[in-house]
Amino acid sequence: PLIGEELEIRHYETNLGNWVADQIRSAFDGADLAFINTGSLRLNQDIPSGPITRRHLEELLPYDSELVWIELNKNQLDAVLERATENWTGGGHWLQISGFAFTHDPRKVAGERVDAITLWRDGEMVQLPHRPLRVVTNKFLREGGDGYDMLKSVKWVPVAGSLKQRIREILRASAKPIQPRVDGRICNLAEIDKRPCAFNLKTAVGSRKSAQSLDAP
């Protein structure tokens, strides 16, 4: 089953969110990472094992988002993730992500919630590069939608006119069933024993704080 129910996809990493974000990242050759606001993913139900129908797709993506390529530095990415984890109560500004991983602790104050941002490649963590990060997202976020004002000033280039059409073409061309999984790319430290977490918390790559600070509570 693909998990798209609102209480899940607007709070946590889900397999459906991962799959959509992975397809967004693949829209630009050489993209480091991608993210999409879950307010853009409106299905509000799980898709059971079996065929994915046109109705599923229309309800998942009621807004035909344009995809854009932008560049972000590490501080800008940190600001994006602080916004994503702000008021962690199921808002549409929560992000589903691809190409990277991070930890967050919703019990902490603004500016301290997010840590250990690292690239995520085939199950392996890789240090963030010493250059601007190449990011694919939707134009809505680039224009400051859902409170992402920090993205209004970044330069952008269009990469795909329709996310819905891109997803439709990928599904039509797929010779095998899709089987996305939750791999712990978003690690919630407040629920470390309940949800997957890709990080070895004592040696998390890319942490801007000490490894000790990442120990599970």
Side-chain angles (χ1 to χ4, degrees):
L2 302 178
I3 306 304
E5 196 275 325
E6 202 167 81
L7 290 178
E8 286 290 317
I9 204 167
R10 292 192 177 199
H11 281 83
Y12 303 102
E13 170 192 349
T14 76
N15 61 349
L16 177 59
N18 282 354
W19 188 82
V20 172
D22 287 347
Q23 308 321 305
I24 291 173
R25 181 162 65 96
S26 71
F28 181 79
D29 188 29
D32 296 307
L33 53 98
F35 50 74
I36 186 171
N37 59 312
T38 52
S40 297
L41 306 176
R42 292 298 187 96
L43 184 62
N44 195 20
Q45 62 178 300
D46 299 341
I47 301 176
S49 299
I52 298 175
T53 67
R54 181 175 296 177
R55 181 174 181 176
H56 287 140
L57 186 56
E58 292 295 329
E59 292 181 353
L60 176 66
L61 297 167
Y63 310 115
D64 204 6
S65 304
E66 180 179 355
L67 299 182
V68 299
W69 170 79
I70 60 177
E71 286 191 346
L72 298 179
N73 60 40
K74 296 174 186 177
N75 290 335
Q76 288 171 317
L77 178 58
D78 185 79
V80 165
L81 299 180
E82 285 287 340
R83 170 56 186 157
T85 57
E86 182 181 358
N87 298 326
W88 184 67
T89 55
H93 63 279
W94 175 257
L95 300 179
Q96 297 292 328
I97 68 171
S98 175
F100 69 112
F102 69 95
T103 67
H104 79 100
D105 191 335
R107 300 164 297 188
K108 293 189 175 182
V109 298
E112 297 293 332
R113 287 186 297 266
V114 174
D115 203 350
I117 307 170
T118 177
L119 294 185
W120 177 249
R121 294 290 182 270
D122 299 322
E124 299 292 332
M125 294 181 185
V126 181
Q127 292 267 6
L128 292 177
H130 297 290
R131 58 165 173 76
L133 296 158
R134 300 180 292 257
V135 181
V136 183
T137 188
N138 58 12
K139 192 175 181 182
F140 172 76
L141 292 185
R142 206 292 308 170
E143 292 176 338
D146 269 346
Y148 288 92
D149 296 335
M150 74 291 294
L151 298 179
K152 287 182 178 179
S153 61
V154 301
K155 296 181 180 180
W156 61 281
V157 177
V159 296
S162 169
L163 172 58
K164 186 186 300 185
Q165 181 62 26
R166 177 170 179 78
I167 295 295
R168 182 183 294 116
E169 291 172 353
I170 289 169
L171 289 172
R172 284 175 173 169
S174 178
K176 298 180 180 179
I178 64 171
Q179 296 177 311
R181 64 181 183 177
V182 173
D183 46 27
R185 59 184 75 171
I186 301 177
C187 181
N188 183 341
L189 297 182
E191 300 192 6
I192 196 68
D193 296 324
K194 301 177 182 178
R195 300 277 171 168
C197 177
F199 289 84
N200 176 335
L201 296 180
K202 293 185 182 298
T203 57
V205 175
S207 174
R208 66 173 186 270
K209 302 186 181 77
S210 68
Q212 184 67 29
S213 71
L214 290 176
D215 284 351

